[in-house]
Amino acid sequence: MALAPEEPELVQLLTPEGELVEHPDYRVDFSDEELRGLYRDLALVRRIDAEATALQRQGELGIWASLLGQEAAQIGSGRAMGPNDHVFPTYREHGVAWCRGVDPLNLLGLFRGVDMGGWDPEEHHFHLYTIVIGAQTLHAVGYAMGLQRDGMVGDGGPELTGAAVAYFGDGATSQGDVNEAFIWASVFQAPVVFFCQNNQWAISEPLERQTRIPLYQRASGFGFPGVRVDGNDVLATYAVTQAALARAREGSGPTFIEAYTYRMGAHTTSDDPTRYRIAAEVEAWKLKDPIERLRSFLIRTGKADQDWFEALEEESNQLAKHIRAGCLDMPDPSPMTMFDHVYVDPHKPLANQREQFAAYLASFESTSEEHS
Amino acid sequence: MSTIDAPGGTRLMGFGEALNDALDVALQIDPTVVLLGEDIDDESTGGNFKITAGLSTKHGDHRVRTTPISEQAIVGAAIGGALGGLRPVAEIMFVDFLAVAMDQIVNHAARLRYMSGGKTPVPITIRTASAGGQGFGGQHSGMLESWFTHVPGLKVVVPASADDAKGLLLSSIFDPDPVLFIESSRLYFGNMAFGEPGGDPRRLHVEVPLGDYRVPLGKARIRREGDAVTLVTYGRQVDDATKVADRLAEEGISVELIDLRSLVPLDLETVLASAAKTRRVVIFQEAVTRSGFGGELAARITEELFDTLEVPVRRLGAPNTPVPYAANLETAYQPSAEALAAEVRETVERKARAS
């Protein structure tokens, strides 16, 4: 069986050892402050993830889908976006949500089961988490076609133009929807960036169960460029996404980005990866950690000192505290809200059911009053 | 029974022409309306049934977009457009192909607004054609409305005449929720359905108001008043039911004929008022009887009027088989006017239960 090459040809600007490397097509030009900002994003998002995992283990969340190991892919791509770019995420894009200004507590609300996504997608340009694998790629294409129709493609830069960014994983590339999204985006030259985080595993299915060629090579068959980037390299991910977004916004059509990364944890807290993958593989990927490499770089080049890291650690502790307290404080929704937002206009049968349910609930109150 | 308020005048139109007119009006009055579907622009065919003919020429192919052959993507992209502020109208060539797009319709179009706490409405309209009774075979002839009436968040509209087709389609397009709009392709052809050569192609033409004419969703139409029995139906069955009601009137049986127009929202009040008056109800549907919408309707009527009804609510629909292909089999399969007449007669003549 032909497998994806062991050492993939990928765009890299920062090695696992924290050394900057040149690439003929991609470069970044960050100030020291911006570099520290990226590190802060990575560290805080990892902390949010760790707190959420702990909260699940303590019974405070029903489930959590950890992004551990994929922080750079998400922060690099998320920070490359402009104000009009609109994200269609899976359920693991906590880092992208962070970049789009979504309060982490909104994410926890979903996983705690008090709502199905409490943020405003329009305000943050960040759609609800999509649970059905790959379905959001079609929404991204439709949204992008709308941007075309609205004249938001062409010259003008990120302030006046926009693109849709569809996130999905390696497993989703086997879905019909995703392949249809590729075809439509190509045929209509829609301003879409297909951002695939290839984290090597779709629950328990390894990459070779989804593909016999490197995923990014599929793009050429659909008629647009595909590029594989080191998804654990925040700088390279930023550069590649920025270029793809610029290309989409100016009207040159879609790009497929394969962010080559690794799901360090379980698929979700309901999963036990030790049942299907070997520890050595995980150990090998630990050496490519997305945060450690930037830390080494910042320290070695003197762009951040010990005081700065300590201050960040304190900020991280405060954030964790905010998350834990906020999570425990989340009220359960009122039972009557079950009937809200099914239809925009008044809907009589639903109104009747709501009335019946209200009377049913009220019957308990009168019973308890009688007994008190 | 209703008179049409048409200050802008009317024109005699067939069913397909009225739909085309509705789409034309929608495109004209609202720049956010866009059409997506297979073969729908004029460079293609103007639509498989020519319902969109002329619209891309008039409004531009950026608004009337012929798409790749992917039903799931037609609905999915319509949803994405709606999330960005458009009012997309998606055309799915046959009802049966909705099965291909089921995830996008059920999991996304119907539920996104609810799941977002009201923040992401999905005002799309999915137009599709049912084509039973025309020799189109097992995968082009279904009537699957009850799959969708079961899904909270969707509205389901089934017009029966040209004037309603226009008024209901415009209401659907401008409705804030996702609407499935099922058109009987047999009505497109007037009486010129396959297997019915020589009929008058203009038999089903009616005066249709010009301009932005809307018929509200959730308001049934009493097509004929009567007091002996209530006959409830929708879509192209209304035509057969009308003929049956006319014939039975000659026999002295007074049928009240209700055309539901939309199944969700359902005008239960009109149905119950009629059923309370006649105390006898027959439901007539094109679809397979088992788990069909008629069953839901029968249950609702019985729940409300068990003590008033003189006889059980009866349903007449198709047998519980796929739609057969051979002409003689398909003819036998379709719930016919003759069978309906017999069912109505039997319901009227049946001895009332002892109260």
Side-chain angles (χ1 to χ4, degrees), chain A residues 54-67:
Chain A
L55 283 164
Q56 193 281 333
R57 292 301 185 229
Q58 293 158 17
E60 297 296 341
L61 298 181
I63 192 171
W64 178 252
S66 170
L67 63 31

Side-chain angles (χ1 to χ4, degrees), chain A residues 116 118-122 127-128 132 135 138-139 142-143 145 148-149 177 180 184 188 338 340-344 348, chain B residues 31 65 67-68 70 72-74 76-77 80 83-84 103-104 108 113-115 117-120 153-154 176-177 264 269:
Chain A
M116 292 185 262
W119 62 91
D120 185 340
E122 205 46 50
H127 186 58
L128 295 188
V132 182
L138 290 173
H139 306 158
Y143 191 96
M145 290 168 69
Q148 275 178 322
R149 184 205 145 283
D177 313 44
E180 290 179 26
W184 277 51
F188 293 120
M338 171 165 60
D340 294 346
H341 309 303
V342 181
Y343 294 100
V344 175
K348 196 149 186 203
Chain B
R65 289 200 138 174
T67 69
S70 15
Q72 180 94 311
I74 292 171
L83 293 173
D103 174 58
Q104 289 294 340
H108 305 281
R113 182 169 182 278
Y114 185 79
M115 291 175 68
K119 297 188 192 80
T120 55
L154 288 180
D177 287 309
V264 183
E269 288 68 27

Side-chain angles (χ1 to χ4, degrees), chain B residues 94 96 131-142 322-327 330 334:
Chain B
F94 290 100
D96 312 73
Q134 298 176 88
F136 285 4
Q139 290 158 342
H140 281 54
S141 306
V323 184
Y325 184 32
E330 192 180 7
Q334 298 287 320

Side-chain angles (χ1 to χ4, degrees), chain B residues 224-231 241-257 278 280 282 340-350:
Chain B
R224 182 189 180 101
E225 283 184 2
D227 53 25
V229 59
T230 298
L231 175 52
T242 305
K243 290 183 213 159
V244 167
D246 290 347
R247 194 191 314 162
L248 292 175
E250 290 166 16
E251 298 175 19
I253 297 174
S254 166
V255 175
E256 181 142 298
L257 175 57
T278 65
R280 290 164 193 257
V282 175
L340 177 63
E343 189 73 51
V344 173
R345 267 189 219 105
E346 206 178 302
T347 299
V348 171
E349 287 160 9
R350 187 167 174 168

